Every structure is written in C-alpha cells, then in structure tokens.
Amino acid sequence: MSETILNVEGLTVDIPLGSGTLHAVRGIDFALKRGETLCIVGESGSGKSLTSLAVMGLLGKRIQVGAAKLEFEGRDLRSLTPRQMQALRGDRMAMIFQEPMTSLNPAYTIGDQLCEALQLHRRVSKAEAMAQAADLLGKVGITAAESRLQQYPHQLSGGLRQRVMIAMALMCEPDLIIADEPTTALDVTIQAQILRLLADLKREMNLALILVTHDLGVVARIADKVAVMYAGEIVESGTAKAIFDAPSHPYTRGLLDCIPVPGKTKPGEPLGSIPGIVPSLVGDVAGCAFRSRCALANDACSETIPKRTASGEHMYRCVHETLISEVA
Amino acid sequence: MANAPALTAETIVAISPGAMLRRRIFGHYGLLFGLSVLALVVAAAVFAPLLADHNPYTQDLFARMKPPFWMAGWDPDHLLGTDQLGRDYLARLLYGARISLLIGIVTALISGMIGTALGVAAGYFGGKVDLVVTFLINVRLAMPVVLVALAIVALFGGSLQIVILVLGFLLWDRFAVVMRSSVMQIRGLEYVNAARAIGCSTTRIVLSEIMPNVVNNLIVVMTLEMAHAILLEAALSFLGLGVQPPTPSWGLMISEGKEMMLFQPWLITIPGVALFLLVLAINLLGDGLRDVTAPEAKG
Amino acid sequence: MLAFALKRLGLAVLVTFTVSVISFSLLHLSGDPAAAIAGENATAADIAAINRQFGFDRPLTVQYTDWLWKALHGDFGESYYFKMPVADLISDRLSITMLLGVCSISFALLTAVPLGVAAAVRPNSLIDRTALFLSVAGQAMPSFWFGLIMIVVFSIKFRLLPPSGSETWRHFIMPTVVLGYYAMPAIMRLTRAGMLEVLNADYIRTARAKGAGAGRVLFKHALRNAIVPVVSLSAVQMGFMLGGSIVVEAIFALHGAGYLAWESISRHDLPTVQALILIFSCFYILFTLLSDLANAWLDPRIRVG
C-alpha cells in the first residue's frame, strides 16, 4: 500500500441563491493513493466539477465549502490560508480543464504560460523554465517543441492546446492532477490519444489522477476506482472492476444500460435511457434523490438512505440490500 | 421529504414574456427615473403657455435680474427670477425645453433615417456596398463635428432649422455602425434564409423579417443621439454660433448669463441643471431600454 | 503585419482626401465667401473685386486642386482676419491644444481605468456604484457648463485657480479636468465591461489553478486582454477631444487651436477654418491609425496571422 494523497470526508458545496441555498455537493467521501486513477462519473449538474474545484480551492468566495476531513498529503486543507493554498495550487496539485480552446491566455506565448507555472513556485531562471517546458512538450507528444514555445494559443489546434494544458499541469511535477472532462471538447480520435497520454504519464510519474467525466467509455479505459455521482452525492463507489461487474445502485445500472455493447445489444434494439430529470437541490433535500426516476422506488426511499457495503471497498447508497439485477 | 423546489421548469415557464418585461422595467430604477424626468420635461414643453404667466420674449427693464425663490428679495411674480433684460426666467426655461426637445427629436429622426438606411444596406448586402458604407462612416468620423457644425452654421447664419439640418446630417454615424452590425448578425439566421428561399423580395425581407428584430437597438441609439444633439445644440448656441437670440435656448441662456455669473450664478445654474437633467434622463432611458430589451448586453 | 499596416495606411490617406473634398465644398457652397470678407456695407463692385483677388470666380474644382496642391506643400494661404500665413498661425497655437489633449487623455485614462477595474472586480459594490454615477453624470454634463461652474467655484469663490489664460501649469488644471471628464465615462464603461468579461474567461481560472495570486491574475492575465479595446477607444476619444477643445478653450480663454477655430469661424476666416478642419481630421485619422497598429501589436491574433 502506498501513501494516501487525498482524503475527503463529508465534503459539501453550498451555493446561496436568491431563492434559497443550492446544496450542490452533499457530503461525499473519497480517498486516493499515489499511482491511482479515480474517475468521478455523473451527468451534468451532479456536482462532479464543483467537487474538483472545491478540492483545488478554486470556488468563488460566495460559494461555501464544508468538509469533515479534507486532507492533502496529510495537510488539512481547511486550515490553510488563501496564500498557502495558492502555494499548493499548480505546485503539488494541478488541474486540467474541459475547454482547451479558451483555457489558455490568448495574449501570451505557450512558452510564457508554461514557464509561469514553474516560476510561480520555484526560483528558476527563464532559460531553465523554458528548457523544462520544451522537455515536457516533448513528453506530451508535441513535436518541434522549441518552435511551439514561441507560438500563441490561437495558432494551435484543440488537441494540441489540451496537450499544452497537460504539460502546464506537469511543470512542477505535482502529486495530484485533477482533469475535469479533459476530452469532452475534442474529436473522438484525439480523445483516445489524450486519455492514453494521461494514463501513461500517471504511471510514469507515479502521481494520483482524478478524472471527472460523464463518459463511461472513458472510465472503463482508464479508471482504477470509480465514484458515481448523482444529485450531489456519491451513490456508488468502488474499484472499476467491481462497478462494471456488479453495479449495485439502480442509477449505475441505468448508466451502464445506456452503453451499447457490441455483440450483446441487438441491431434495432432501443438503447437504454433513464427517464425523468434531476430534482432541484435548492432547500432541504432528504431521502434518495434518484427515487423519482427509479423503477424500484418505494416509501422507504424518502427516508434516510443507508450506506451499504457490497464487497470490500465497494459501497453504494440504496434502501435495497441486495440488488435485484433481473428487475433493473 | 424534499421540500418544494423554488425554481422548477414549470414556474419559469409560467411567467409570460410581457410580465417578464414589466418586471424588468419596474425593477430598473434608472429607466424609471429617466422616463419620469423626460415625461416631466415633455409636459413642461407642451404646456409651457399654461405654466408660464409671462411671455419669454417680453423685456421689463425695471425688473432686471430678480433672484429666484430660494434667495432673499425674490419676486412672487417671477419664481425663477428674471434675466439681465428683465425677461421671466421660468418662462424662458419652459419655452427652452421646447427648443431642446425639438432639436433632439428632429435631429435624431433625420440622422436616424440616414444612418439606418446606410447601416441596413451595408449589413444586408455586404460586399461592395458594405465597403462603401464603412468608408463613409470612417470619413464622417474623421470630420470634427463641433468644428464642421460651427463653420456651416456660421456661414449659413444661425437659425433653428439650420442647426437641426446640420446636426441631422452629421450625427448619423452611430446609427449606421449599430444597424450595420445588428443586421449582419441577423442576415445569416435560418429564418431569413427561409424567407429568401420561399422567394420573398428584398424589401419584404428587410421590412418584415429584419427591421422588427433590430428596432430595439435603433430606439436605444435614437435616445443616445437625441441626448448628443441636445448637448451639441447647447454648445453651439453657447459659443454664439447656434440658435440666435432672443430664442430661449438653454445653451444661449447660459451664454447670456455667464457675463453675470460672478454675482448672479443662478443665471447659469438654472438652465445648466435643466440641460443636465434632461440629457441625464434621456441617457438613463436609453441605457435602461438596452438593459431591459437585451439584458445579456449589459455593460 | 506589414501588409496590414500598409492597407490601413492607404485607407487613412483616402479618408483624409475625402474629408478635405467634402469640407472644402461644404464651406464654399454654404455661403458667399467674398460677401463675408467684404463685410456688411460692401457694394457689388467690392465683392466682384474680392472674387477676382481671391480667385472665387474660378470653378470649384480648380480652386480645390489649387488649394490642395498648396496645402500639400504646407501652404494653407493667408488668414483674412489675422493677415498672416495660416500655417504659421496654426503651428503657433497647436502646441497648447496638444498639451491640453495629452493632459486630458492622461487624466481620463488615469481615473477611468482604475475605476473600471475596481468596479469590475467588485460588481454592485460602493465603488462600482460611484463609478457608474460618475460616468452617467459625465455623459450628461454639458462641458461648457461644467467649465463655468468650475470657474465660479475654484476661481471666484475659493480663488484657487486662475480662470483664464495659459501661462502656467495651474492654468491647465481646470481645462484638463473638464475635457478629461468628457472622455472618461466611455473609457470607464468599456474597461469595466471588458474586465467583467475577461474575469469570467476560462484562462483566468487556469491562471488561478497555476497558483497565480490575485494581483497577478488581475493585471497580468485579465487587464492585458481587457485593455485592447480601450486603446482604440482612447484614440477615438482623443480625436473627439480636439472638437471638445473648441468649447473648453473658449471658456478658459486658452489660446490654442480650438480657440483659433472659434475666432476664425466667428470672423468667417475661410482659409483658417479650412486648414483647421483638415488638421483636426488628420489628427483623428492619425490617432486611429496608431491605435489600430498598437492593437495589432497587442493582440497576437492579428499580429501573428
């Protein structure tokens, strides 16, 4: 067992609105060790992006973040000053965003932006920083790195820009990288390349990776651990193998049914879908948030939902003790 | 149990567009302020003969420079006092509102027609037409408005009509710029292509498909240009090269009062505040209309 | 970049030429210059003599080409009123107007940009509301009236500043404030709107994720992008200020080019007015040309095509 990089317990994110408080993330737990990849899966609005921004301390002042435990490399992030948090960001923990087209500053060269990430945290000369940047651009698969450093973001394609973003995240050799839907905005062929790159880099540099996505295809390819989020809660979590082999929460099952499986799904057969919409999280929310869309829902679902253990690390939140796989 | 959510799809849909607009208008204090002040000025201008006991042109050399009501020694017969020729200041102020509003409205109409025609043509046809119009806009912007207006008015001889015509032919640039870009955005939209596909004539497409969608912007520019024209007329008249005495133009009143401003500062403060309030009201109305009709373009 | 600059330069020359044609014909068609020179009591014979003397009897195109040819050589003719070469007259006066223009635009930028940034960083705060109030008031304030009020308050009541003239730097304070305040609202609004937009951009979040501090994010990453449109607006405002200088110089008796314009227009001094219109236009065209080039240089998307 290697060291635990990130340990989160009872994380909440509350957004005050004119009409009440939006409980966007409602008490989630997860932990991550060096060398592991955790995929946080969920549909848009499930709170997965907010979770990653909360860990990075990138949410605005208006948004309240709470947690029973929020430890990064043994340090309590809740007790850090904004300045200490700023020193961690980009150094020990880095982030890659969804929109490579708009995530780079149009006014500065790629080289300047890469160097900035290093020079903010290390006392290095510009030349040393440039050398490191060129080296990393090569590592993320960009050829002619030296000339790319002189270019501006608008001269690069989306795939290249996302590689630059990855290189930027790696500049200080962080222990944790959070990638928020890093492939969503890219072409399908490029998506696969970027994912393989992330997986390779994680192994090579022995870092912890959190990948936020709504795409179960991505999860199947890269994840060690999976956390399925729904309406601000983790409804099921465990190793990727456990989740895919024995999905225990009706929502996870629903998600898996939406994916066509070659050989199994017959031509012409309609793909699975989950009817209904995500409930509003403004005001007090109790019971299972999925019950209005769930085929197995009964009166007990509006009570407090127990957290159940399926096997080992595999947990899920449902009133049904044993999953009735035939019904779902 | 989950409590009733405050915002669901149903409650959002339940608000009609009209109610939404009303809500935005009544929540916008600038707009309300602008509208009320403008309404007051319009009423003052329309009912000037009823509101003023005096003729704005009648001189009374025995009642010169009477102070207004907040100062000692004021005459109940002249609420805002009299000027250096003994003319009633309230009457001149009220009749002056007519001049300012007339200048503002007619100028905005003339320049609005010129600018809209050019802007819509450029935006709709693009290509060479656009090049020519853009060039004209550049030429117009390069001409110093105050200087050119002063020179032409001076050569023709100042009169209300000349000032209106000169300003009308000079202030069309913003109409052209705004209409050009608004029409360009709309030109490529599906429904315009659809109208073209079913064989609508150009005139018809412009009048019934495009104009209704840019009329908001047109009204906003119109208010701003009205304010601009009112300020310019006042400046021209102040410099003695606009509307000529004895017309009760606010700019002229300030110009006439400035000789006496050492001892009778209210001679310039009264018409100045009136001018400021009117222009402020029109600007706030314009800004408010833009915020209300296109909340996303706030800034 | 070079092709862009050349194209822009060609356009500028063409615009200047068109402006000169239009202003020349406008001035010559809007009145009888000979009658204006001769004065009220002139006889028909006097006017005919003046027409011959100044060449007003020639076709307008001939007069124009003659004027343009001389203007290109720096000869704008002789002032009817001042009885001296217009070129000398204007060059004497221009320095004061230039000084006033530079002071005013600096004043406008130094107040508008910080206010706009502060307002964008804290929307709806006290500072945002103050900035909004200042800009709304500034747009509605007639500058000639504002100038008079300043004279009443600072020269007459408190005797702090001289009301007219251009001898010392103190004479320039009130004109600078009046003319600068005229340009401030638009710059402030654009800075605020630009900063609001840029601060919501994804690359600002990237910069924060890198561990950049608030000041660095604001000035290095946000302002650098928001300032680009402000540069072009400032150039346009500087051009408009030349027009505004007529009013301001008239109020404060600042004997610059604006004051000269007022004097010569009042006296129907056609050659001087003609030359001033051309020079003011040229300045506007030059400012916008420079700002376009500056923008191209500031924005790599234009610079590196």
Side-chain angles (χ1 to χ4, degrees), chain A residues 181-218:
Chain A
E181 307 247 10
T183 58
T184 309
L186 301 173
D187 289 344
V188 182
T189 47
I190 312 285
Q191 283 187 10
Q193 294 173 12
I194 296 286
L195 279 178
R196 197 171 311 128
L197 174 65
L198 276 175
D200 292 347
L201 287 169
K202 183 211 76 176
R203 199 174 321 113
E204 198 176 316
M205 305 180 81
N206 194 28
L207 41 80
L209 176 67
I210 295 181
L211 190 80
V212 175
T213 181
H214 63 269
D215 184 348
L216 281 174
V218 169

Side-chain angles (χ1 to χ4, degrees), chain B residues 98-284:
Chain B
R98 293 184 157 191
I99 307 282
S100 282
L101 284 177
L102 190 71
I103 298 254
I105 292 168
V106 182
T107 303
L109 284 178
I110 297 175
S111 52
M113 277 190 279
I114 301 173
T116 307
L118 288 172
V120 170
Y124 187 77
F125 295 111
K128 284 211 175 82
V129 182
D130 184 31
L131 275 181
V132 171
V133 171
T134 312
F135 181 73
L136 285 178
I137 295 174
N138 275 326
V139 169
R140 164 45 210 94
L141 283 173
M143 301 193 0
V145 183
V146 183
L147 190 51
V148 173
L150 276 176
I152 300 175
V153 173
L155 288 168
F156 269 117
S159 73
L160 197 55
Q161 292 90 320
I162 294 293
V163 171
I164 288 178
L165 280 176
V166 168
L167 292 184
F169 279 93
L170 278 175
L171 298 184
W172 51 266
D173 50 292
R174 199 170 351 184
F175 287 100
V177 171
V178 171
M179 284 296 108
R180 174 177 170 271
S181 59
S182 320
V183 172
M184 269 184 177
Q185 281 168 14
I186 287 182
R187 178 183 61 179
L189 295 185
E190 292 302 321
Y191 74 90
V192 177
N193 288 332
R196 212 173 286 142
I198 59 170
C200 290
S201 69
T202 303
T203 328
R204 200 191 142 82
I205 292 175
V206 169
L207 288 182
S208 59
E209 308 292 338
I210 290 185
M211 285 314 282
N213 289 291
V214 297
V215 81
N216 286 343
N217 292 346
L218 184 62
I219 292 172
V220 171
V221 179
M222 208 143 217
T223 56
L224 299 178
E225 284 307 309
M226 245 178 92
H228 191 187
I230 291 172
L231 276 181
L232 268 177
E233 179 273 327
L236 256 51
S237 301
F238 172 80
L239 290 174
L241 293 162
V243 179
Q244 295 300 307
T247 317
S249 149
W250 290 349
L252 207 51
M253 286 166 74
I254 296 174
S255 164
E256 288 162 355
K258 84 169 187 280
E259 310 302 327
M260 308 286 155
M261 71 182 185
L262 281 162
F263 307 106
Q264 273 85 24
W266 47 269
L267 280 177
I268 63 165
T269 36
I270 291 173
V273 168
L275 193 56
F276 173 71
L277 279 180
L278 176 60
V279 174
L280 182 73
I282 298 176
N283 278 338
L284 286 177

Side-chain angles (χ1 to χ4, degrees), chain A residues 259-307:
Chain A
I259 309 175
V261 182
K264 246 177 148 184
T265 313
K266 295 178 192 74
E269 183 187 348
L271 291 175
S273 65
I274 310 175
I277 54 163
V278 185
S280 163
L281 297 177
V282 179
D284 294 324
V285 184
C288 176
F290 187 60
R291 66 181 185 276
S292 62
R293 299 169 75 180
C294 183
L296 306 175
N298 60 28
D299 288 349
C301 295
S302 47
E303 307 296 325
T304 306
I305 307 299
K307 197 167 167 183

Side-chain angles (χ1 to χ4, degrees), chain C residues 51 119 130 152 168-169 174 188 227 261:
Chain C
N51 267 332
T130 311
V152 170
T168 67
W169 61 271
M174 288 198 292
M188 206 286 293
I227 207 74

Side-chain angles (χ1 to χ4, degrees), chain B residues 66-81:
Chain B
K66 295 258 184 214
F69 66 87
W70 63 85
M71 290 172 74
W74 68 286
D75 181 349
D77 197 31
H78 301 287
L79 269 183
L80 292 182

